[in-house]
Coordinates of all heavy atoms in Angstrom, one line a residue:
A167 N -56.5 -0.8 -16.3 CA -56.0 0.2 -15.3 C -55.6 -0.5 -14.1 O -56.0 -1.6 -13.7 CB -57.2 1.1 -14.9
F168 N -54.6 0.2 -13.4 CA -53.9 -0.3 -12.2 C -54.7 0.2 -10.9 O -55.0 1.4 -10.8 CB -52.5 0.1 -12.1 CG -51.7 -0.9 -12.8 CD1 -51.3 -0.6 -14.2 CD2 -51.1 -1.9 -12.2 CE1 -50.3 -1.5 -14.8 CE2 -50.3 -2.9 -12.9 CZ -49.9 -2.6 -14.2
T169 N -54.7 -0.5 -9.9 CA -55.3 -0.2 -8.7 C -54.6 -1.1 -7.6 O -54.0 -2.0 -7.8 CB -56.8 -0.2 -8.5 OG1 -57.3 0.2 -7.2 CG2 -57.2 -1.7 -8.7
E170 N -54.8 -0.7 -6.3 CA -54.2 -1.6 -5.2 C -55.0 -2.7 -5.0 O -56.3 -2.7 -5.3 CB -54.2 -0.6 -3.8 CG -53.3 0.5 -3.9 CD -53.3 1.3 -2.6 OE1 -53.9 0.6 -1.6 OE2 -52.8 2.4 -2.6
A171 N -54.4 -3.8 -4.8 CA -55.1 -5.1 -4.6 C -55.6 -5.3 -3.1 O -55.0 -6.1 -2.3 CB -54.1 -6.3 -5.0
R172 N -56.5 -4.6 -2.9 CA -57.2 -4.6 -1.6 C -58.6 -4.2 -1.6 O -59.1 -3.6 -2.6 CB -56.5 -3.7 -0.5 CG -56.4 -2.3 -0.9 CD -55.8 -1.4 0.1 NE -55.7 0.0 -0.4 CZ -56.8 0.9 -0.3 NH1 -57.9 0.6 0.3 NH2 -56.7 2.2 -0.7
E173 N -59.4 -4.5 -0.7 CA -60.8 -4.0 -0.7 C -60.9 -2.5 -0.4 O -60.1 -1.9 0.2 CB -61.6 -4.7 0.5 CG -61.8 -6.2 0.2 CD -63.0 -6.7 1.0 OE1 -63.5 -6.1 1.9 OE2 -63.4 -7.9 0.6
Q174 N -61.6 -1.9 -1.3 CA -61.8 -0.4 -1.4 C -63.3 -0.2 -1.6 O -64.1 -1.1 -1.9 CB -60.9 0.1 -2.5 CG -59.6 -0.2 -2.5 CD -58.8 0.2 -4.0 OE1 -58.9 1.3 -4.3 NE2 -58.2 -0.7 -4.5
P175 N -63.7 1.1 -1.5 CA -65.1 1.4 -1.8 C -65.4 0.9 -3.3 O -64.7 1.3 -4.2 CB -65.1 3.0 -1.7 CG -64.1 3.2 -0.6 CD -63.0 2.3 -0.9
G176 N -66.5 0.1 -3.4 CA -66.9 -0.4 -4.7 C -66.1 -1.5 -5.1 O -66.5 -2.2 -6.2
L177 N -65.2 -2.1 -4.3 CA -64.5 -3.4 -4.6 C -64.3 -4.3 -3.5 O -63.8 -3.9 -2.4 CB -63.0 -3.0 -5.2 CG -62.0 -4.0 -5.8 CD1 -61.0 -3.6 -6.5 CD2 -61.6 -5.1 -4.6
R178 N -65.0 -5.5 -3.6 CA -65.2 -6.5 -2.6 C -64.8 -7.8 -3.1 O -65.0 -8.3 -4.1 CB -66.6 -6.5 -2.0 CG -66.8 -7.5 -0.9 CD -68.2 -7.3 -0.2 NE -69.2 -7.4 -1.3 CZ -69.8 -8.5 -1.6 NH1 -69.3 -9.7 -1.0 NH2 -70.7 -8.7 -2.6
A179 N -63.9 -8.5 -2.2 CA -63.5 -9.8 -2.6 C -64.4 -10.9 -1.9 O -64.7 -10.7 -0.8 CB -61.9 -10.0 -2.1
S180 N -64.4 -12.1 -2.6 CA -65.0 -13.3 -1.9 C -64.1 -13.9 -1.0 O -62.9 -13.4 -0.9 CB -65.5 -14.2 -3.0 OG -64.4 -14.8 -3.6
A181 N -64.5 -14.9 -0.3 CA -63.7 -15.7 0.4 C -62.7 -16.5 -0.5 O -63.2 -16.8 -1.7 CB -64.4 -16.8 1.3
P182 N -61.6 -17.0 -0.2 CA -60.7 -17.7 -1.0 C -61.5 -19.1 -1.5 O -62.2 -19.6 -0.8 CB -59.6 -18.1 -0.3 CG -59.3 -17.0 0.8 CD -60.8 -16.7 1.1
M183 N -61.3 -19.3 -2.7 CA -62.0 -20.5 -3.4 C -61.4 -21.8 -3.0 O -60.1 -21.8 -3.0 CB -62.1 -20.4 -4.9 CG -62.8 -19.2 -5.4 SD -62.9 -19.1 -7.2 CE -63.6 -17.5 -7.6
R184 N -62.2 -22.9 -2.7 CA -61.6 -24.1 -2.6 C -61.6 -24.8 -3.9 O -62.8 -25.0 -4.6 CB -62.4 -24.9 -1.6 CG -62.4 -24.5 -0.1 CD -61.0 -24.7 0.4 NE -60.7 -26.2 0.5 CZ -59.5 -26.6 0.7 NH1 -58.4 -25.8 1.0 NH2 -59.2 -27.9 0.8
L185 N -60.5 -25.2 -4.5 CA -60.4 -25.7 -5.8 C -59.7 -27.1 -5.8 O -59.1 -27.6 -4.9 CB -59.6 -24.7 -6.7 CG -60.0 -23.3 -6.8 CD1 -58.8 -22.4 -7.4 CD2 -61.3 -23.1 -7.5
A186 N -60.1 -27.8 -7.0 CA -59.4 -29.2 -6.9 C -58.0 -29.2 -7.1 O -57.1 -30.1 -6.6 CB -59.9 -29.9 -8.2
A187 N -57.4 -28.1 -7.6 CA -55.9 -27.7 -7.7 C -55.7 -26.4 -7.5 O -56.5 -25.5 -7.8 CB -55.3 -28.3 -9.0
L188 N -54.5 -26.0 -7.0 CA -54.0 -24.7 -6.6 C -55.0 -23.9 -5.9 O -54.9 -22.6 -6.0 CB -53.9 -23.9 -8.1 CG -52.5 -24.2 -8.7 CD1 -52.4 -25.6 -9.3 CD2 -52.2 -23.3 -9.9
T189 N -55.6 -24.5 -4.9 CA -56.3 -23.7 -3.9 C -55.3 -22.8 -3.1 O -55.6 -21.7 -2.5 CB -56.9 -24.6 -2.9 OG1 -58.1 -25.2 -3.4 CG2 -57.3 -24.0 -1.5
A190 N -54.0 -23.3 -3.1 CA -53.0 -22.5 -2.5 C -52.7 -21.3 -3.0 O -52.0 -20.3 -2.4 CB -51.7 -23.3 -2.6
S191 N -53.2 -21.0 -4.3 CA -52.9 -19.7 -4.9 C -53.8 -18.5 -4.5 O -53.6 -17.5 -5.0 CB -53.0 -19.8 -6.5 OG -54.4 -20.1 -6.8
R192 N -54.6 -18.8 -3.5 CA -55.5 -17.6 -3.0 C -56.3 -17.0 -4.0 O -56.1 -15.7 -4.3 CB -54.6 -16.6 -2.1 CG -53.9 -17.3 -1.0 CD -53.4 -16.2 -0.1 NE -52.3 -16.7 0.8 CZ -51.7 -15.9 1.8 NH1 -52.2 -14.7 1.9 NH2 -50.7 -16.5 2.5
T193 N -57.1 -17.7 -4.7 CA -57.9 -17.3 -5.7 C -59.3 -16.8 -5.2 O -59.9 -17.7 -4.5 CB -58.1 -18.2 -6.9 OG1 -56.8 -18.5 -7.4 CG2 -59.0 -17.8 -8.0
V194 N -59.8 -15.7 -5.6 CA -61.1 -15.1 -5.2 C -61.9 -14.7 -6.4 O -61.2 -14.5 -7.6 CB -61.0 -14.0 -4.2 CG1 -60.1 -14.4 -3.0 CG2 -60.2 -12.8 -4.8
S195 N -63.1 -14.3 -6.1 CA -63.8 -13.4 -7.2 C -63.8 -12.0 -6.7 O -63.9 -11.8 -5.5 CB -65.1 -14.0 -7.5 OG -66.0 -14.1 -6.4
L196 N -64.1 -11.1 -7.5 CA -64.2 -9.7 -7.1 C -65.5 -9.1 -7.7 O -65.8 -9.2 -8.7 CB -63.0 -8.9 -7.7 CG -61.6 -9.2 -7.3 CD1 -60.6 -8.4 -8.2 CD2 -61.4 -9.2 -5.9
E197 N -66.2 -8.4 -6.6 CA -67.4 -7.8 -7.0 C -67.1 -6.2 -7.1 O -66.5 -5.6 -6.2 CB -68.6 -8.0 -5.9 CG -69.1 -9.4 -5.9 CD -69.7 -9.8 -7.2 OE1 -70.3 -8.9 -7.8 OE2 -69.6 -11.0 -7.5
L198 N -67.5 -5.7 -8.3 CA -67.2 -4.3 -8.5 C -68.6 -3.6 -8.6 O -69.5 -3.8 -9.5 CB -66.5 -4.1 -9.8 CG -65.1 -4.8 -10.0 CD1 -64.6 -4.9 -11.4 CD2 -64.1 -4.3 -9.0
D199 N -68.8 -2.6 -7.8 CA -70.1 -1.9 -7.7 C -69.8 -0.3 -7.7 O -69.6 0.3 -6.5 CB -70.9 -2.3 -6.5 CG -72.2 -1.7 -6.5 OD1 -72.6 -1.0 -7.5 OD2 -73.0 -1.8 -5.5
G200 N -69.7 0.3 -8.8 CA -69.3 1.8 -8.8 C -67.8 1.9 -8.4 O -67.5 2.9 -7.8
F201 N -67.0 0.9 -8.6 CA -65.6 1.3 -8.4 C -65.0 2.2 -9.2 O -64.9 2.0 -10.4 CB -64.8 -0.2 -8.4 CG -63.4 -0.1 -8.1 CD1 -62.9 0.4 -6.8 CD2 -62.4 -0.5 -9.0 CE1 -61.6 0.5 -6.6 CE2 -61.0 -0.5 -8.6 CZ -60.6 0.0 -7.4
W202 N -64.3 3.1 -8.8 CA -63.9 4.3 -9.5 C -62.3 4.5 -9.4 O -61.8 4.3 -8.4 CB -64.5 5.7 -8.9 CG -64.1 6.8 -9.7 CD1 -64.7 7.4 -10.8 CD2 -63.0 7.8 -9.5 NE1 -64.1 8.5 -11.3 CE2 -63.1 8.7 -10.5 CE3 -62.1 7.9 -8.5 CZ2 -62.2 9.8 -10.5 CZ3 -61.1 8.8 -8.5 CH2 -61.1 9.9 -9.6
L203 N -61.8 4.8 -10.7 CA -60.4 5.0 -10.7 C -60.1 6.3 -11.5 O -60.8 6.5 -12.4 CB -59.7 3.8 -11.4 CG -59.6 2.5 -10.6 CD1 -59.0 1.3 -11.4 CD2 -58.7 2.7 -9.3
P204 N -59.1 7.0 -11.1 CA -58.8 8.2 -11.9 C -58.2 7.8 -13.3 O -57.6 6.8 -13.5 CB -57.7 8.9 -11.0 CG -57.1 7.9 -10.3 CD -58.2 6.9 -10.1

Side-chain angles (χ1 to χ4, degrees):
F168 274 96
T169 185
E170 294 181 12
R172 60 175 178 82
E173 291 202 347
Q174 307 171 54
L177 188 161
R178 181 171 55 86
S180 72
M183 298 180 188
R184 293 291 300 168
L185 305 171
L188 276 72
T189 285
S191 64
R192 302 197 198 182
T193 296
V194 300
S195 62
L196 301 176
E197 292 298 326
L198 306 169
D199 183 10
F201 179 57
W202 183 86
L203 289 174

